[in-house]
Amino acid sequence: MQHNAIQLPPLNALRAFEATARLSTLAAAAAELNVTPSAISHQIRTLEETLDIRLFRRANRRLSLTKDGRTLLPGLTDGFRRLTAAVAELEANQREGSLTISMLSTLAMRWFMPRLPRFQLEHPEIEIRISTTARTVDLEREDIDIAIRHGHGVWPSVHAEKLFQLETLPVCSPELPRPGTPLNSPHDIERHVLLHADARPDDWRMWLDGVGEPHIKASRELTFDTTDFALAAAIRGLGIAIADRHIIQDDLDSGRLIAPFETSISHDSGYYLVYPSKRASHPKSVAFREWLLREAAVG
Amino acid sequence: MQHNAIQLPPLNALRAFEATARLSTLAAAAAELNVTPSAISHQIRTLEETLDIRLFRRANRRLSLTKDGRTLLPGLTDGFRRLTAAVAELEANQREGSLTISMLSTLAMRWFMPRLPRFQLEHPEIEIRISTTARTVDLEREDIDIAIRHGHGVWPSVHAEKLFQLETLPVCSPELPRPGTPLNSPHDIERHVLLHADARPDDWRMWLDGVGEPHIKASRELTFDTTDFALAAAIRGLGIAIADRHIIQDDLDSGRLIAPFETSISHDSGYYLVYPSKRASHPKSVAFREWLLREAAVG
DNA sequence: TTTTTAATTGAGAAAATTTCAATTAATGTT
DNA sequence: AACATTAATTGAAATTTTCTCAATTAAAAA
């Protein structure tokens, strides 16, 4: 009926004995275990009674191990060392160890990855693992520590902190506007190819609504799985993509992309940093979140 | 201030987690630890809260380990296995292992040792160690499991069971009575050498008092440290020794010694089997005591 | 559908642990 | 030699931990 053939005596009594035997005095053991010597004395007595074996010889005012006590000690010391090591490993892992972060691939590629080296410089002890998926992941089930999600900041059983508001605008290669096919006003779009992302099918429509030209129709359209591909296509001069300002900022800065029009559309949704309430206080999680919020504030 | 850098979470919580993780269900862990599943559930919750780390994923009505839980488990399993092994070793030692028996050397040589092989046949798993000393030993201090003591059966903090009453009688070599120096009545002793033992200086006087001849004086006297030596001398024909009937029985049976007179003196003291109350119930101790009492009853 | 199985929860009960204050006894100190 | 110190022990009471019970949720099996 019982998996372990032998029934262990009370664990705390074993620990009290182990500490006392190792340190030779009740006082020292008591200090190690944060209790009074009296408590230790009671525990040892309990253990001796449970086992029905005398472990210490009480001579003068000093304790010395009996043969049985000497038999028992090393195994216990070793056992408790193991337990301590196991817990210590877990806690070290908590402080340092790896941090798994989930986000959509476009954000990972265009915004997160370029910034990541700065975090790794600040916290070389934290190993980052990036998990990119299209769907919204269950943080608990997938062992995700932190996620960046797009939405309105309301999800069940997680904490959410806003990184930035979504703000989309058209971009294209600097080579795209040519003398015959300029891009000076939204109307010029009609002579160009519009690049769409399946994941965000409404971005173009919302932008055109925003500039007051809902009826503009492009000469051709191209659709990709993700914004990431649409942007890659834009860089290669295949047409005009539309994406969030944060995501394209680096490409704009480097000149790979230009924003032919001033107008950007502010959405009511945004990118949120999301994490399970349970892991909110873990040092590596806190460090990462603070860093990410700083990065988001910069741009 | 603290020897162990890390403070262990409650040991019972660790054990509850370990069992549950190893056996996959609360019910199984509860059975192993002889508690209800509810208790296990509380313990695991306590552990998770103490560590501030989620160890199980609660999906459906099934538990599965998180990455952290998987990190923690093997170390704990190992640690508890070691603790269990240490205690098991001690308990096996208690059942079998060695049994240290203290007694005076004469008794050991002349009464105990000849009988010992029979015990070893019955209990080959118990290793006997015989400790012979002249003085009365402190059982606790010397790690003695059982002693055979001479006295009146009253000693502090030990159990005592009577083996046999002391009953002394004179013995000598069968060669000793010669035509010129017979041994037919106590008076004949005057023509012989009396062999004494320092440890029991009054035995001869008490015997002579007992036979109503307190004034008999031997031609010569020889004194040894112990009765054992006196008997060895008697066997070699050096004179007449006096000793307890049980001790010399084997020598009488084998014909090495004879008892020239019928009269033996019953003393009010005797040999007692003595053991610390604390070890009274240990199987190997019980087995030995039962055997020894049987042997003593036979003779 | 109903029944069973598994885990969880909260409250109260039970058990274990700890402290406190008093005691014993040996060791240093003056 | 008297006195203060140090160490362990003890019993009773207080505290904390652990456990059970009964109720609840929810999925799986019949």
Side-chain angles (χ1 to χ4, degrees), chain B residues 25-27 38 41-42 45 58 61:
Chain B
T25 73
L26 290 193
S38 172
S41 179
H42 283 300
R45 182 133 314 241
R58 278 84 170 166
R61 55 174 187 171

Short mmCIF file of all heavy atoms in Angstrom, two decimals, chain B residues 25-27 38 41-42 45 58 61, chain C residues 4-11 17:
data_model
loop_
_atom_site.label_atom_id
_atom_site.label_comp_id
_atom_site.label_asym_id
_atom_site.label_seq_id
_atom_site.Cartn_x
_atom_site.Cartn_y
_atom_site.Cartn_z
N THR B 25 -0.49 11.90 -9.29
CA THR B 25 -1.81 12.29 -8.77
C THR B 25 -1.75 12.56 -7.28
O THR B 25 -0.95 11.98 -6.56
CB THR B 25 -2.88 11.21 -9.01
OG1 THR B 25 -2.64 10.12 -8.10
CG2 THR B 25 -2.86 10.68 -10.43
N LEU B 26 -2.64 13.43 -6.85
CA LEU B 26 -2.74 13.74 -5.43
C LEU B 26 -3.12 12.49 -4.66
O LEU B 26 -2.61 12.24 -3.57
CB LEU B 26 -3.80 14.80 -5.18
CG LEU B 26 -3.52 16.23 -5.64
CD1 LEU B 26 -4.57 17.15 -5.02
CD2 LEU B 26 -2.15 16.68 -5.23
N ALA B 27 -4.02 11.73 -5.23
CA ALA B 27 -4.53 10.56 -4.51
C ALA B 27 -3.40 9.59 -4.20
O ALA B 27 -3.29 9.08 -3.08
CB ALA B 27 -5.61 9.87 -5.35
N SER B 38 -6.58 16.21 0.14
CA SER B 38 -6.74 17.61 0.51
C SER B 38 -5.48 18.14 1.18
O SER B 38 -5.02 19.25 0.88
CB SER B 38 -7.94 17.75 1.44
OG SER B 38 -8.02 19.05 1.96
N SER B 41 -2.85 18.75 -1.36
CA SER B 41 -3.16 19.95 -2.15
C SER B 41 -2.74 21.21 -1.39
O SER B 41 -2.10 22.11 -1.95
CB SER B 41 -4.65 19.98 -2.46
OG SER B 41 -4.98 21.13 -3.18
N HIS B 42 -3.09 21.26 -0.11
CA HIS B 42 -2.70 22.41 0.71
C HIS B 42 -1.18 22.56 0.77
O HIS B 42 -0.64 23.65 0.66
CB HIS B 42 -3.24 22.26 2.13
CG HIS B 42 -4.70 22.56 2.25
ND1 HIS B 42 -5.24 23.77 1.93
CD2 HIS B 42 -5.74 21.80 2.66
CE1 HIS B 42 -6.55 23.75 2.14
NE2 HIS B 42 -6.89 22.55 2.58
N ARG B 45 0.28 23.89 -2.42
CA ARG B 45 -0.02 25.31 -2.53
C ARG B 45 0.93 26.12 -1.65
O ARG B 45 1.49 27.14 -2.06
CB ARG B 45 -1.47 25.55 -2.09
CG ARG B 45 -1.92 26.97 -2.19
CD ARG B 45 -3.26 27.04 -2.85
NE ARG B 45 -3.29 26.20 -4.02
CZ ARG B 45 -3.53 26.68 -5.25
NH1 ARG B 45 -3.76 27.95 -5.42
NH2 ARG B 45 -3.56 25.87 -6.27
N ARG B 58 -2.25 23.33 -13.66
CA ARG B 58 -3.55 22.71 -13.40
C ARG B 58 -4.38 22.79 -14.66
O ARG B 58 -5.00 23.80 -14.95
CB ARG B 58 -4.29 23.44 -12.29
CG ARG B 58 -3.90 23.05 -10.89
CD ARG B 58 -2.71 23.79 -10.41
NE ARG B 58 -2.50 23.58 -8.97
CZ ARG B 58 -1.40 23.89 -8.35
NH1 ARG B 58 -0.38 24.40 -9.01
NH2 ARG B 58 -1.28 23.70 -7.05
N ARG B 61 -8.53 18.09 -15.05
CA ARG B 61 -8.46 17.66 -13.65
C ARG B 61 -7.18 16.86 -13.46
O ARG B 61 -7.13 15.86 -12.77
CB ARG B 61 -9.68 16.83 -13.28
CG ARG B 61 -9.86 15.66 -14.20
CD ARG B 61 -10.98 14.78 -13.70
NE ARG B 61 -11.01 13.58 -14.52
CZ ARG B 61 -11.77 12.54 -14.24
NH1 ARG B 61 -12.55 12.56 -13.20
NH2 ARG B 61 -11.74 11.48 -15.00
P DT C 4 -21.54 5.77 -9.44
OP1 DT C 4 -21.62 4.33 -9.20
OP2 DT C 4 -22.03 6.74 -8.44
"O5'" DT C 4 -20.02 6.13 -9.79
"C5'" DT C 4 -19.70 6.44 -11.13
"C4'" DT C 4 -18.21 6.58 -11.36
"O4'" DT C 4 -18.01 7.83 -12.07
"C3'" DT C 4 -17.31 6.64 -10.14
"O3'" DT C 4 -16.09 6.00 -10.46
"C2'" DT C 4 -17.18 8.15 -9.88
"C1'" DT C 4 -17.25 8.73 -11.31
N1 DT C 4 -17.90 10.08 -11.37
C2 DT C 4 -17.35 11.01 -12.24
O2 DT C 4 -16.38 10.79 -12.93
N3 DT C 4 -18.01 12.23 -12.25
C4 DT C 4 -19.11 12.59 -11.50
O4 DT C 4 -19.60 13.70 -11.60
C5 DT C 4 -19.63 11.55 -10.62
C7 DT C 4 -20.83 11.84 -9.75
C6 DT C 4 -19.00 10.36 -10.59
P DT C 5 -14.85 5.93 -9.45
OP1 DT C 5 -14.11 4.70 -9.71
OP2 DT C 5 -15.37 6.25 -8.11
"O5'" DT C 5 -13.95 7.16 -9.93
"C5'" DT C 5 -13.49 7.20 -11.29
"C4'" DT C 5 -12.67 8.47 -11.47
"O4'" DT C 5 -13.55 9.62 -11.49
"C3'" DT C 5 -11.65 8.72 -10.36
"O3'" DT C 5 -10.39 8.98 -10.96
"C2'" DT C 5 -12.20 9.92 -9.60
"C1'" DT C 5 -13.01 10.64 -10.69
N1 DT C 5 -14.15 11.47 -10.21
C2 DT C 5 -14.35 12.71 -10.78
O2 DT C 5 -13.63 13.16 -11.65
N3 DT C 5 -15.42 13.40 -10.29
C4 DT C 5 -16.29 13.00 -9.31
O4 DT C 5 -17.23 13.72 -8.96
C5 DT C 5 -16.04 11.68 -8.75
C7 DT C 5 -16.93 11.15 -7.68
C6 DT C 5 -14.97 10.99 -9.22
P DA C 6 -9.06 9.03 -10.07
OP1 DA C 6 -8.02 8.33 -10.84
OP2 DA C 6 -9.40 8.62 -8.70
"O5'" DA C 6 -8.69 10.58 -10.04
"C5'" DA C 6 -9.18 11.43 -11.01
"C4'" DA C 6 -8.61 12.83 -10.84
"O4'" DA C 6 -9.74 13.72 -10.65
"C3'" DA C 6 -7.70 13.06 -9.64
"O3'" DA C 6 -6.62 13.86 -10.06
"C2'" DA C 6 -8.58 13.73 -8.60
"C1'" DA C 6 -9.64 14.42 -9.44
N9 DA C 6 -10.98 14.43 -8.82
C8 DA C 6 -11.56 13.45 -8.07
N7 DA C 6 -12.77 13.76 -7.63
C5 DA C 6 -12.98 15.03 -8.14
C6 DA C 6 -14.06 15.92 -8.05
N6 DA C 6 -15.18 15.64 -7.37
N1 DA C 6 -13.96 17.11 -8.68
C2 DA C 6 -12.85 17.38 -9.37
N3 DA C 6 -11.76 16.63 -9.53
C4 DA C 6 -11.89 15.45 -8.88
P DA C 7 -5.51 14.31 -9.03
OP1 DA C 7 -4.25 14.43 -9.79
OP2 DA C 7 -5.58 13.48 -7.82
"O5'" DA C 7 -5.99 15.79 -8.67
"C5'" DA C 7 -6.02 16.77 -9.71
"C4'" DA C 7 -6.78 17.98 -9.22
"O4'" DA C 7 -8.08 17.57 -8.78
"C3'" DA C 7 -6.14 18.72 -8.04
"O3'" DA C 7 -5.84 20.04 -8.44
"C2'" DA C 7 -7.19 18.67 -6.94
"C1'" DA C 7 -8.46 18.42 -7.72
N9 DA C 7 -9.51 17.75 -6.95
C8 DA C 7 -9.47 16.50 -6.39
N7 DA C 7 -10.56 16.17 -5.75
C5 DA C 7 -11.37 17.29 -5.90
C6 DA C 7 -12.68 17.59 -5.46
N6 DA C 7 -13.41 16.74 -4.72
N1 DA C 7 -13.19 18.79 -5.78
C2 DA C 7 -12.45 19.64 -6.51
N3 DA C 7 -11.22 19.47 -6.99
C4 DA C 7 -10.74 18.27 -6.64
P DT C 8 -5.13 21.06 -7.46
OP1 DT C 8 -4.43 22.06 -8.27
OP2 DT C 8 -4.44 20.30 -6.41
"O5'" DT C 8 -6.38 21.78 -6.79
"C5'" DT C 8 -7.32 22.45 -7.64
"C4'" DT C 8 -8.38 23.09 -6.78
"O4'" DT C 8 -9.19 22.06 -6.19
"C3'" DT C 8 -7.84 23.93 -5.61
"O3'" DT C 8 -8.31 25.25 -5.83
"C2'" DT C 8 -8.43 23.28 -4.36
"C1'" DT C 8 -9.60 22.50 -4.92
N1 DT C 8 -10.00 21.27 -4.17
C2 DT C 8 -11.27 21.24 -3.64
O2 DT C 8 -12.05 22.16 -3.71
N3 DT C 8 -11.59 20.06 -3.00
C4 DT C 8 -10.79 18.94 -2.86
O4 DT C 8 -11.20 17.96 -2.26
C5 DT C 8 -9.48 19.05 -3.44
C7 DT C 8 -8.53 17.90 -3.33
C6 DT C 8 -9.15 20.19 -4.07
P DT C 9 -7.71 26.44 -5.02
OP1 DT C 9 -7.71 27.61 -5.91
OP2 DT C 9 -6.46 25.99 -4.38
"O5'" DT C 9 -8.79 26.66 -3.87
"C5'" DT C 9 -10.17 26.71 -4.22
"C4'" DT C 9 -11.02 26.73 -2.97
"O4'" DT C 9 -11.26 25.38 -2.53
"C3'" DT C 9 -10.38 27.46 -1.78
"O3'" DT C 9 -11.18 28.60 -1.54
"C2'" DT C 9 -10.42 26.45 -0.63
"C1'" DT C 9 -11.33 25.36 -1.13
N1 DT C 9 -10.98 23.96 -0.76
C2 DT C 9 -11.96 23.17 -0.20
O2 DT C 9 -13.08 23.57 0.05
N3 DT C 9 -11.56 21.88 0.08
C4 DT C 9 -10.32 21.33 -0.14
O4 DT C 9 -10.09 20.16 0.15
C5 DT C 9 -9.34 22.21 -0.74
C7 DT C 9 -7.97 21.70 -1.02
C6 DT C 9 -9.72 23.47 -1.01
P DG C 10 -10.74 29.75 -0.61
OP1 DG C 10 -11.31 30.98 -1.17
OP2 DG C 10 -9.30 29.62 -0.37
"O5'" DG C 10 -11.51 29.41 0.74
"C5'" DG C 10 -12.91 29.11 0.68
"C4'" DG C 10 -13.41 28.78 2.06
"O4'" DG C 10 -13.18 27.37 2.33
"C3'" DG C 10 -12.73 29.54 3.19
"O3'" DG C 10 -13.75 29.85 4.13
"C2'" DG C 10 -11.70 28.56 3.72
"C1'" DG C 10 -12.40 27.22 3.50
N9 DG C 10 -11.53 26.07 3.27
C8 DG C 10 -10.29 26.07 2.69
N7 DG C 10 -9.77 24.86 2.60
C5 DG C 10 -10.73 24.03 3.15
C6 DG C 10 -10.74 22.63 3.33
O6 DG C 10 -9.87 21.81 3.02
N1 DG C 10 -11.91 22.19 3.93
C2 DG C 10 -12.95 23.00 4.31
N2 DG C 10 -13.98 22.40 4.87
N3 DG C 10 -12.95 24.32 4.15
C4 DG C 10 -11.82 24.76 3.57
P DA C 11 -13.40 30.61 5.46
OP1 DA C 11 -14.36 31.74 5.52
OP2 DA C 11 -11.95 30.85 5.59
"O5'" DA C 11 -13.81 29.52 6.56
"C5'" DA C 11 -14.92 28.64 6.30
"C4'" DA C 11 -15.02 27.67 7.45
"O4'" DA C 11 -14.19 26.52 7.18
"C3'" DA C 11 -14.54 28.23 8.79
"O3'" DA C 11 -15.35 27.70 9.82
"C2'" DA C 11 -13.10 27.75 8.87
"C1'" DA C 11 -13.20 26.38 8.19
N9 DA C 11 -11.96 25.95 7.54
C8 DA C 11 -11.00 26.73 6.96
N7 DA C 11 -10.00 26.05 6.45
C5 DA C 11 -10.33 24.73 6.70
C6 DA C 11 -9.68 23.50 6.41
N6 DA C 11 -8.52 23.42 5.77
N1 DA C 11 -10.28 22.37 6.81
C2 DA C 11 -11.46 22.45 7.46
N3 DA C 11 -12.16 23.53 7.78
C4 DA C 11 -11.54 24.65 7.38
P DT C 17 7.15 18.09 14.30
OP1 DT C 17 7.81 18.19 12.99
OP2 DT C 17 7.60 17.11 15.32
"O5'" DT C 17 7.16 19.53 14.95
"C5'" DT C 17 6.72 20.62 14.16
"C4'" DT C 17 6.89 21.91 14.94
"O4'" DT C 17 5.95 21.93 16.02
"C3'" DT C 17 8.28 22.08 15.56
"O3'" DT C 17 8.83 23.24 14.98
"C2'" DT C 17 8.01 22.21 17.07
"C1'" DT C 17 6.54 22.59 17.12
N1 DT C 17 5.76 22.16 18.32
C2 DT C 17 5.06 23.09 19.03
O2 DT C 17 5.08 24.29 18.76
N3 DT C 17 4.34 22.60 20.09
C4 DT C 17 4.25 21.29 20.50
O4 DT C 17 3.56 20.98 21.46
C5 DT C 17 5.00 20.34 19.70
C7 DT C 17 4.98 18.90 20.05
C6 DT C 17 5.71 20.82 18.67
#
